[in-house]
Amino acid sequence: MGEHDTARTRLRAALRADDPWSAPHALKTDRPDRLAEAAEELYRSDTDRAAFGRYLTRFLGTLGDPGDAVLLRLFAEPAFPADDRRDLLRTAVARGLRLPAELLRAYADHTPPSDGKEARTGHPPAPELVDAMGLSGDLSFAPRLGALLSDPAAPRGRAALALGRLGAREWTAPIAGRLSEAIGLDHTAFTVALELMGDPAAVPHLLRRLAESDEERVYDVHHALVRLTGRDPLLPERPSRTEHAAAVRAVWADGRTERAPVAVRNLVLGSGTRARFSVDGGAGRIRVAFDPPSPGSSWPRWDRSLTFDRKPLYRVGSSCGTCELGLTLLDWPDEEATRIAARMRGRLAALDRLDTALFLEWSPVLGELETGHYHALLLDLPLERVTEPARSWWYRRVATRAEEDGDDSAYDDRPEDHWPGVAHFQLTTPVPGGRVPRTYGAVLPSQPPEALDPTTVARHAAALAAGERPAAVVLGWIDDRYVEARHEERWLVGAVLDGHHRLTAYAAAGLPARVLFLARAEGGAEGLEEVAAAYGCRA
């Protein structure tokens, strides 16, 4: 039996399993060759397509470039039934694929509406077709998409996002002008569309809209103003919704949109190992930011990433309180990020207390953070370096939950499905807590581990052996979740700004690592208190 026959046979067997949604994905662990080709052949069989069509389509969407090529070929076949072509288009959109404009026009002319009714003149296109037009890069779709903005029966928010993806700036004013009538997710989609457009012409409209917006819509308008102007004024810490809306209106009331000089203010020192400070007008070069909306998703703001100079480093995922936290490496930042952090290095060689002079010295670097209120904690963290997915807390917490539930099915998860994609540091044991039973801890690199210089690691190891305690700098946060509305779960998460070699030497020596932990003060105070109580520097 040849390789192709083997792949086809194994794929068909997987599709006939008890769980045809997940069974085919097990093939990817020991992937036979030509899986995408085998999936295409099965799809072209009327019998197999009738039985497994939806599963095959989703499976192709997981195979990367080979699967994408098959999706495009299959979608180009007009002979397939309308429901199958619609399913192929939805998967292609979810993959962010650019389909030829002429193919989309032909599809629009010959495919009935997705609501199952007979085609009729003026019926708005299905949401997946609107998304595909926005991904096409073809500005000739802009007039048709723009016409949907005023159609209450159309997917107006998705039409606005499609225009934003196309960069069709002639529609900036019409989108901004309709903010007053948009509600719910459409309102969010309209403001995100303006952010995607990147057109300063939206700013006057947004300022006027801010004065009229109810409390619920102020956040979206403020977010768009910050992104389009670069001005990010400091707001009160943990305000109520009413206080937040009033503060936002106040900071934009004079119409000023130019950036003010960055200021590090409100410094309050604690016991010498703790401090609070605020960054006003932060450059935001290092921040957690919303990703561009995923094509095909109904949520204009969902996934977030930790970014350096707007280049995503780790996908953080959504802020959904019942979803599981998981980080995924996306790319490494440019060298400028390393140079920024290195400007803090002088005082890190022997850091055992925090003082005013230190924060004055570091103000230029702190100003590179995003605007907000921060905690600074000087910690001695017992860290180990983990290189195997099965050893990482990202996976081991799954086993812990399974034991609590008495649910063996959780052990079916593959460790690599929870792996952030890179070797990292983690707390040797979770921090015990009160309300939340434990706090897991992970410190992830911001440069490739293989780029570390062994000579530098050895130099730090010698310093540790001589009793020195150099500090690393980590930017992070406390993340509280109620996973599946069953498990209170807390994470101390951080990315190394400076000190990769030092942390490696600490882990190798089995010594607690001296870490200056900078955390946004947006919740998580309870978790930070527990971590500080357990691991606060006592030098």
Side-chain angles (χ1 to χ4, degrees), residues 98-99 101 104 132-141 162 165-166:
R98 176 179 288 193
L99 283 79
L104 294 177
M133 291 176 180
L135 291 168
S136 71
D138 192 319
L139 283 168
S140 67
F141 285 121
R165 291 189 180 103
L166 288 173

Side-chain angles (χ1 to χ4, degrees), residues 348-435:
L348 296 175
L351 184 63
D352 58 13
R353 64 179 296 105
L354 306 178
D355 55 45
T356 302
L358 181 144
F359 283 93
L360 288 174
E361 179 183 335
W362 286 350
S363 287
V365 179
L366 299 176
E368 303 287 3
L369 302 176
E370 92 181 277
T371 291
H373 306 275
Y374 290 84
H375 296 272
L377 303 177
L378 194 56
L379 305 170
D380 285 331
L381 295 178
L383 297 177
E384 60 183 354
R385 187 169 183 269
V386 58
T387 59
E388 297 295 330
R391 282 286 306 153
S392 175
W393 291 119
W394 295 109
Y395 171 68
R396 289 164 66 188
R397 49 104 182 255
V398 176
T400 299
R401 292 200 301 255
E403 291 174 359
E404 293 173 349
D405 288 347
D407 180 9
D408 291 337
S409 66
Y411 287 105
D412 295 336
D413 284 14
R414 300 182 307 163
E416 53 268 31
D417 291 337
H418 299 268
W419 181 244
V422 65
H424 55 275
F425 302 97
Q426 64 181 19
L427 292 177
T428 53
T429 59
V431 182
R435 180 178 60 85

Side-chain angles (χ1 to χ4, degrees), residues 435-448:
R435 180 178 60 85
V436 180
R438 64 191 68 84
T439 297
Y440 300 103
V443 175
L444 296 108
S446 60
Q447 61 179 259

Side-chain angles (χ1 to χ4, degrees), residues 16 43 105 155 166 242 384 501 513:
R16 288 172 173 162
Y43 196 92
R105 292 192 184 92
L166 288 173
T242 299
E384 60 183 354
H501 295 87

Side-chain angles (χ1 to χ4, degrees), residues 144-152 154 156-157 159-161 163 171 174-175 178 181 190:
R144 183 173 184 183
L145 292 168
L148 300 179
L149 299 176
S150 57
D151 183 353
R156 293 190 290 180
L161 290 172
L163 289 165
W171 290 95
I175 292 173
R178 293 192 176 279
E181 62 191 53
F190 276 39

